[in-house]
Amino acid sequence: MNRRRCVAAAITLVCTMTVLAAPTLAYADSQPPPAAGAPKKSLEEVRKEVDALYRKAGAATDAYNLAKEQAAKQSTLLVELGQDIVKGQTKIDLLKQQLGSEARAQYRDAGLPPEAQLLLSGDPAKFLDGADRLRAGQHAQQTLLAELDTSQQELTAYTRDASAQWRRLEANRTQQAKAKKDVEKKLAAAKNLESGLAKKERERLAELEREHEDKAQTSWLSSGILKEINNKASAQGKKAVAFATEQIGKPYVWGAEGPKSYDCSGLTSQAWAAAGHPIPRTSQEQWKQLPHVAVKDMRPGDLIIYFSDATHVGMYLGDGAMVNAPRPGRNVSIGGAGSMPILGVVRPDA
């Protein structure tokens, strides 16, 4: 309970200090240098544009991560199919050798089929004994031929599946390359916008970002939601929270999943993997595949999915706080659970 009060007090203090520290000047003149012939943009307009670019980069990062994950799975399947093809071909070669041995044995008997050899033997006892062996031999040969046919069909299927998996792998590699270019393009545009600002303007832009998040968090808390959220973490949830909070201070790098850097879903997926419960790699797949719970029912370790397109994710810590890898240029940190628009909550170990 003391820990909850301490975390809540810390978040409140941060919000209060941010508001108190905000300059009273209007910053009407603190604007990025305009392009030739273009009207000046206010810092708030720049903030919205930068935020939109990072969000689009986040969506492209999810597409990149998903294509990368699928390509890895298909590569593994291709290896397994290749092994099956080798085993199948080896089996077929062995069956053909066995059938060839029988054919060579028949040739050594002057080419006469076993039935004719029995009739010409002139020995009734030998005939009866041979008839039994003949039936057993014919059955074994039919079984051998049936097994050869089945093995050839399996080999054909393995080869067909391998071709299909190869096509999917190439398609995902293409998608991965496209998504990577899209991410790099959006990130470059955002960085260009920020780098075009003077030092004081960049500092003020960072303040505007914090103020925007604090305003959203204050609005979320004012709804009284924390009075309803009082569930305790599961044993695995505690492990996931411990892992995620240990990464605080490490930089956001798109597509990264540790150990030195993370993107948002790289952090949450690795945290739950460390807790012994693997989950999907991307925030969008986490939203699609994991069980949903109501916001009022969430507990530490649950994942909060943000924005209508599920392009960001953080891990709930309790007391209205969450840990996340925010965006490029930022480090893994603790923030307000309501500092961004919440799409919903998922529970990996439901």
Side-chain angles (χ1 to χ4, degrees):
M1 190 66 183
N2 290 334
R3 178 182 170 278
R4 291 191 61 184
R5 281 198 289 267
C6 288
V7 175
I11 294 172
T12 303
L13 180 61
V14 170
C15 294
T16 303
M17 291 183 69
T18 301
V19 173
L20 292 176
T24 55
L25 297 177
Y27 283 94
D29 296 327
S30 297
Q31 298 171 340
K40 291 184 178 180
K41 293 180 181 178
S42 68
L43 279 177
E44 177 59 18
E45 288 174 327
V46 172
R47 183 197 68 76
K48 289 180 179 179
E49 192 170 345
V50 168
D51 183 63
L53 285 167
Y54 279 128
R55 279 197 57 207
K56 289 177 181 177
T61 298
D62 250 20
Y64 170 83
N65 288 334
L66 182 59
K68 183 179 178 181
E69 184 181 37
Q70 290 175 338
K73 288 179 180 178
Q74 280 148 4
S75 293
T76 301
L77 283 174
L78 272 173
V79 171
E80 292 173 353
L81 284 168
Q83 292 170 342
D84 289 337
I85 288 171
V86 171
K87 289 177 183 176
Q89 188 61 61
T90 301
K91 185 177 181 181
I92 286 172
D93 291 343
L94 181 61
L95 290 170
K96 285 181 176 179
Q97 286 177 10
Q98 291 175 326
L99 287 169
S101 296
E102 292 188 9
R104 286 190 294 274
Q106 184 173 326
Y107 177 78
R108 285 194 298 271
D109 293 327
L112 291 173
E115 297 91 334
Q117 292 175 36
L118 284 174
L119 288 171
L120 294 172
S121 68
D123 186 340
K126 186 178 179 182
F127 178 84
L128 292 174
D129 181 58
D132 290 335
R133 285 189 285 107
L134 175 61
R135 282 193 294 270
Q138 287 175 333
H139 178 72
Q141 188 177 44
Q142 289 172 355
T143 301
L144 202 62
L145 287 169
E147 191 175 355
L148 177 61
D149 183 59
T150 300
S151 297
Q152 288 176 327
Q153 290 180 18
E154 288 176 348
L155 183 60
T156 300
Y158 290 149
T159 305
R160 185 171 57 247
D161 289 347
S163 297
Q165 288 297 337
W166 179 260
R167 288 193 295 271
R168 293 190 190 100
L169 178 61
E170 288 303 299
N172 274 312
R173 282 175 175 166
T174 300
Q175 176 65 23
Q176 189 177 335
K178 181 181 178 182
K180 183 178 180 181
K181 288 182 180 179
D182 197 19
V183 173
E184 291 170 342
K185 181 179 178 182
K186 299 292 190 300
L187 292 181
K191 288 177 182 177
N192 285 339
L193 272 175
E194 292 180 303
S195 62
L197 301 174
K199 181 180 178 181
K200 287 186 177 180
E201 291 172 332
R202 289 196 297 272
E203 291 172 351
R204 177 55 183 156
L205 182 63
E207 289 177 3
L208 286 174
E209 290 176 356
R210 289 192 294 271
E211 288 173 9
H212 182 76
E213 292 171 358
D214 291 341
K215 184 178 179 180
Q217 174 73 355
T218 300
S219 176
W220 185 69
L221 292 175
S222 66
S223 68
I225 188 67
L226 283 190
K227 294 177 181 178
E228 300 183 71
I229 305 174
N230 51 23
N231 296 304
K232 294 182 179 179
S234 65
Q236 283 188 314
K238 289 179 181 178
K239 291 179 181 178
V241 166
F243 180 92
T245 53
E246 284 172 3
Q247 313 314 310
I248 290 173
K250 294 182 179 180
Y252 177 107
V253 173
W254 72 269
E257 47 189 333
K260 295 182 179 180
S261 57
Y262 297 88
D263 62 20
C264 66
S265 57
L267 176 66
T268 54
S269 61
Q270 287 301 304
W272 272 99
H277 193 94
I279 62 174
R281 168 64 176 85
T282 70
S283 59
Q284 291 177 337
E285 290 302 304
Q286 288 168 5
W287 175 244
K288 287 179 185 177
Q289 297 184 35
L290 298 179
H292 292 200
V293 297
V295 173
K296 66 181 180 63
D297 294 326
M298 70 179 172
R299 66 192 186 194
D302 287 349
L303 306 183
I304 307 174
I305 308 297
Y306 293 100
F307 303 112
S308 59
D309 52 0
T311 50
H312 191 72
V313 60
M315 179 179 291
Y316 188 60
L317 299 178
D319 302 316
M322 61 88 178
V323 60
N324 76 140
R327 68 166 177 80
R330 302 286 185 266
N331 297 331
V332 175
S333 58
I334 293 176
S339 59
M340 292 171 281
I342 295 176
L343 174 62
V345 177
V346 294
R347 178 167 295 162
D349 61 340

